[in-house]
Amino acid sequence: MALPELSLYVHLPWCERKCPYCDFNSHEFSELPEAEYVEALLRDLEIDAAMAQERVIQSIFIGGGTPSLFSAHSLEHLIRGVRSQIALDPDAEITLESNPGSAEAEKFAAFREAGINRLSIGVKSFNDQYLRALGRVHNGDQAHAACDMAISAGFNNLNIDLMHGLPGQTANTACADLECAIDHKPLHLSWYQLTIEPNTVFHKRSPEIPREDVLAEIQTRGAAIIATHGFNQYEVSAYARAGHRCRHNLNYWTFGDYLGIGAGAHGKVTFSDGHILRYNKTRQPDHYLKAQRTDLIAKRSSLKPTDVRGEFALNALRLNEGFSIKLFVDRTGLDSKTLEPTLSEFEEQGLLQIIGDQVSATDLGRRFLDDVVAGFF
């Protein structure tokens, strides 16, 4: 079995303040153990490196938390350490998530020098009213300034991360946010609806979000604005100008492999005998920093064939173009015949369309994507 492409995810788990909607593994801090944590990451990678199986890392995504709280010096040390342990494609996409706060934005040029070549700015909104409702630590002026500073620092490959369906938001103000983002001329947009997740402040004290008809209007009008400005939707919440899809996320959605280092990071690795391993690292930063080599992985599991089929669909059907049967066979090692009953059923129901070798969700199927995916498990 040919092994898929390999990426690396790096988790930096600290934030200045935990947002009330956030269910990620992120933690507020009094003192940032920056140098100590980078060394722990490199020790972690040293253990995982054997799972690369001589593959080259095609992309790195540094997420959080708020990774831009770290210094450019620490990130440069991290990237050098990765290169010393695993081969890194000379043209690798290396993304850093950043908040628009002025302290982080002032580091953008140094991040570019450190080897970061793609920046994702967590704007969420340019409107102060909605930023306060979301508990963000920046304001609209800082969001505008950060986007301008990113371009000035040489980040042509810029993603602006926006949310919609915010407490008190109207279709007009949601579309105004989109227009603000597009005015900064990013090459990529992440645009997605606020969801209320378990184990968050919003789940305990739910805000009043827009009605369903307003949410539908936001989605319809917003998608038209994005398309008018030359962006193509290629995934549920991802829009890009030609040639600038996020390579790292595409690797997730096409069921590629990735190593995960850092507190709470997840990884997925395919082996030459066909079995697929999922694992996640211990979540608490303090424990991660003190953990011995054998204690870093909190959980590991080998996927059963039925799980492999379902997880492939969970990822690949997020893409507008869906997946080819050949990709399914290549990435899962399963016979294409295992798909046939499910594909036939959903095609008859108008939830999937099959053109030659290509399988994708219809408009109806995208509305009920969770139900479609469940049918593959």
Side-chain angles (χ1 to χ4, degrees):
M1 178 177 177
L3 299 180
E5 287 191 359
L6 183 69
S7 296
L8 172 66
Y9 176 75
V10 183
H11 193 71
L12 308 188
W14 289 283
C15 283
E16 186 177 340
R17 186 169 70 203
K18 181 85 170 179
C19 295
Y21 59 83
C22 179
D23 68 338
F24 294 159
N25 184 36
S26 59
H27 306 263
E28 295 180 8
F29 65 94
S30 55
E31 185 176 348
L32 197 62
E34 189 169 320
E36 184 183 3
Y37 191 73
V38 170
E39 294 305 320
L41 288 170
L42 294 176
R43 289 195 301 273
D44 190 356
L45 182 61
E46 186 179 355
I47 302 167
D48 282 10
M51 292 191 288
Q53 301 165 86
E54 301 184 354
R55 284 175 290 180
V56 174
I57 297 287
Q58 302 293 330
S59 66
I60 300 175
F61 196 100
I62 305 171
T66 307
S68 54
L69 291 170
F70 275 51
S71 68
H73 172 77
S74 290
L75 294 175
E76 183 177 22
H77 180 54
L78 171 65
I79 294 168
R80 281 203 314 267
V82 171
R83 289 184 189 276
S84 71
Q85 296 191 42
I86 303 182
L88 184 60
D89 190 305
D91 192 36
E93 176 192 86
I94 304 178
T95 301
L96 178 73
E97 286 187 330
S98 170
N99 272 357
S102 57
E104 287 112 295
E106 289 170 1
K107 304 176 189 175
F108 286 171
F111 289 152
R112 191 74 181 87
E113 290 293 321
I116 308 298
N117 55 31
R118 184 176 184 272
L119 199 65
S120 179
I121 302 181
V123 168
K124 309 307 180 189
S125 175
F126 290 94
N127 185 308
D128 287 348
Q129 174 188 340
Y130 306 130
L131 290 170
R132 286 192 295 270
L134 291 173
R136 301 294 289 174
V137 297
H138 68 275
N139 59 37
D141 287 343
Q142 288 174 316
H144 284 293
C147 294
D148 289 338
M149 291 173 74
I151 298 295
S152 297
F155 283 104
N156 298 322
N157 197 357
L158 172 66
N159 174 61
I160 295 179
D161 184 298
L162 282 179
M163 300 172 76
H164 61 83
L166 309 181
Q169 193 174 49
T170 66
N172 286 341
T173 53
C175 291
D177 257 350
L178 267 179
E179 296 281 8
C180 284
I182 291 167
D183 284 346
H184 288 288
K185 296 181 170 51
L187 296 176
H188 193 283
L189 286 171
S190 298
W191 188 62
Y192 52 96
Q193 185 177 317
L194 169 68
T195 55
I196 308 302
E197 302 288 355
N199 303 314
T200 64
V201 172
F202 274 1
H203 190 260
K204 296 173 185 174
R205 298 189 295 275
S206 184
E208 188 173 345
I209 60 175
R211 302 186 314 269
E212 285 297 326
D213 60 328
V214 176
L215 293 174
E217 184 183 356
I218 290 172
Q219 185 66 50
T220 301
R221 287 175 57 184
I225 289 169
I226 294 172
T228 298
H229 286 86
F231 290 86
N232 293 311
Q233 183 182 20
Y234 66 99
E235 186 267 344
V236 170
S237 60
Y239 305 78
R241 297 194 187 278
H244 292 283
R245 295 181 175 192
C246 178
R247 288 163 53 190
H248 187 88
N249 286 342
L250 275 174
N251 193 43
Y252 291 154
W253 297 322
T254 56
F255 211 53
D257 281 358
Y258 52 96
L259 304 178
I261 60 173
H266 290 240
K268 168 192 170 280
V269 179
T270 305
F271 293 90
S272 55
D273 64 0
H275 94 268
I276 297 173
L277 172 71
R278 283 206 181 275
Y279 65 90
N280 56 278
K281 304 295 171 63
T282 185
R283 286 178 55 86
Q284 291 300 321
D286 288 346
H287 183 260
Y288 179 84
L289 285 166
K290 297 172 183 175
Q292 300 298 312
R293 294 165 67 93
T294 54
D295 295 332
L296 283 170
I297 295 183
K299 182 180 180 181
R300 68 176 80 220
S301 59
S302 292
L303 297 184
K304 299 175 182 176
T306 49
D307 292 330
V308 170
R309 190 177 73 161
E311 289 202 16
F312 177 89
L314 175 67
N315 288 278
L317 285 176
R318 289 181 64 91
L319 294 168
N320 280 24
E321 69 257 32
F323 63 90
S324 69
I325 302 295
K326 181 180 185 304
L327 182 70
F328 171 81
V329 173
D330 289 345
R331 293 291 163 92
T332 67
L334 300 175
D335 193 311
S336 62
K337 291 180 180 179
T338 63
L339 282 180
E340 289 176 1
T342 306
L343 295 183
S344 295
E345 178 184 352
F346 285 139
E347 187 180 29
E348 288 176 8
Q349 294 174 6
L351 299 170
L352 293 178
Q353 63 178 1
I354 304 169
I355 302 174
D357 187 50
Q358 197 71 18
V359 179
S360 60
T362 62
D363 289 341
L364 180 65
R366 293 178 78 80
R367 285 177 54 198
F368 297 98
L369 194 56
D370 289 346
D371 295 325
V372 174
V373 167
F376 283 84
F377 278 95

